[in-house]
Amino acid sequence: MSEVTASVEGKVAVVTGGGSGIGLATARRLSSLGATVLVVDIDGDAARRSASELDGRALSADVSQPEQWTRIAAASSELGGADIAFLNAGTTTGEQDITAFTDEQYRRILGVNVDGVAFGMRALVPQMTDKGGGAVVATSSLAGLIAFPGDPLYTLTKHAVVGLVRAVAPRLAEQNVTVNAVCPSLVDTPLIDGEIRDLLTGSGFPLISPEAVAGAVLFCITSGQTGQAVFVQLGWPPTPYRFGHPPGPRLEGAQGKVPPGWLAEQPR
Ligand SMILES: NC(=O)c1ccc[n+]([C@@H]2O[C@H](COP(=O)([O-])OP(=O)(O)OC[C@H]3O[C@@H](n4cnc5c(N)ncnc54)[C@H](O)[C@@H]3O)[C@@H](O)[C@H]2O)c1
């Protein structure tokens, strides 16, 4: 049995946004490797279609709502408890102008892209620690590593996901739970539509397949690494992004000092 199959076969995997695009491709990949998949999507029909194709379970839920995570955790618990959580549901605003977004747009994108990941960790990590370990993968974006002026609020949320993953990884490593982010460039899914798709198609810019992103998610689950932001770019294997180090204090007597103890813990 390959190492990848051994890490997935017989495991319970929760996939948010599993009704379409990257979530659907990853749910298919996990299922083909022998995982039982709980497909969570706000689009109940899409979740049911995906789950019936995979012989998995569907749940129509909005990941931005904390109380809906009680339902998601209960469904996952009925399947035996989560070993793998792919916190992937996401949305965009399509608004470039930071003076023009509506309150609804702001709450929606923060709710889905950030709250949906934090609530997901809070609900599902305890199931993993109860089982002796697990793997969390959250979908960020290349816009979590670089600025994307086309959608500043999207950039805000995807940077937040990378920060959250890197901050929780050292503690969770002690409980045998890995936490990583995937950071894809532009992917061929229904999220890329309208003007952006026309622009990309017109210029001949190649999009990444959702299956390639699923491969990067598998890399995150099986590599044993944690606290990584793994970028997904055409022509590259999934690769952990190397962050630079901001400067420490330059005052006399404090050169090279770092804060004491847990304040300075870094992802391993
Ligand atoms: N497509 C890209 O170019 C690209 C690039 C980088 C990152 N991403 C990220 O990948 C993730 C998946 O996007 P995709 O490209 O597969 O798009 P998609 O639109 O094909 O799939 C997103 C799925 O999430 C579901 N969803 C949306 N809001 C939800 C909510 N509140 N609760 C539950 N489900 C919800 C949708 O119904 C949909 O099925 C997102 O986080 C997105 O930001 C996409």
Side-chain angles (χ1 to χ4, degrees):
M1 188 192 289
S2 79
E3 209 177 305
V4 172
T5 310
S7 314
V8 175
E9 190 168 33
K11 300 282 162 69
V12 174
V14 179
V15 177
T16 70
S20 173
I22 294 167
L24 175 58
T26 305
R28 282 181 176 142
R29 184 77 181 272
L30 290 167
S31 170
S32 74
L33 291 166
T36 301
V37 182
L38 174 63
V39 180
V40 179
D41 207 293
I42 197 166
D43 179 342
D45 288 339
R48 278 184 287 279
R49 269 196 309 276
S50 167
S52 78
E53 174 195 323
L54 307 174
D55 209 12
R57 174 138 178 224
L59 192 65
S60 170
D62 180 347
V63 297
S64 70
Q65 302 302 313
E67 68 283 355
Q68 305 228 354
W69 277 100
T70 311
R71 294 174 52 232
I72 300 169
S76 155
S77 182
E78 272 170 33
L79 295 172
D83 303 285
I84 295 165
F86 182 36
L87 305 173
N88 161 77
T91 189
T92 58
T93 67
E95 180 56 77
Q96 300 180 24
D97 183 351
I98 198 62
T99 67
F101 65 86
T102 65
D103 292 354
E104 288 70 27
Q105 278 179 314
Y106 184 81
R107 294 291 167 220
R108 183 89 202 125
I109 196 162
L110 268 286
V112 181
N113 294 10
V114 179
D115 301 1
V117 175
F119 295 154
M121 289 184 187
R122 182 175 65 179
L124 299 179
V125 165
Q127 297 188 355
M128 295 178 191
T129 53
D130 281 354
K131 295 178 85 173
V136 178
V137 184
T139 306
S140 175
S141 167
L142 222 49
L145 301 174
I146 58 171
F148 174 43
D151 195 334
L153 293 180
Y154 184 76
T155 305
L156 161 66
T157 64
K158 294 303 183 179
H159 274 65
V161 169
V162 169
L164 180 65
V165 159
R166 299 180 78 213
V168 300
R171 283 293 166 88
L172 292 182
E174 291 162 13
Q175 293 168 287
N176 204 26
V177 175
T178 61
V179 191
N180 294 287
V182 281
C183 301
S185 178
L186 294 156
V187 187
D188 191 1
T189 74
L191 196 74
I192 303 286
D193 62 359
E195 202 188 329
I196 295 192
R197 183 169 284 270
D198 292 346
L199 207 64
L200 291 169
T201 317
S203 73
F205 187 89
L207 296 172
I208 299 171
S209 71
E211 289 73 26
V213 184
V217 177
L218 260 293
F219 169 83
C220 291
I221 294 168
T222 58
S223 73
Q225 299 188 54
T226 194
Q228 303 298 327
V230 172
F231 67 84
V232 189
Q233 183 63 284
L234 277 169
W236 288 72
T239 308
Y241 183 70
R242 292 284 156 239
F243 289 87
H245 294 283
R250 215 160 54 163
L251 289 176
E252 208 176 317
Q255 300 258 4
K257 278 204 186 302
V258 293
W262 59 267
L263 285 171
E265 271 178 4
Q266 290 297 312
R268 295 153 205 215

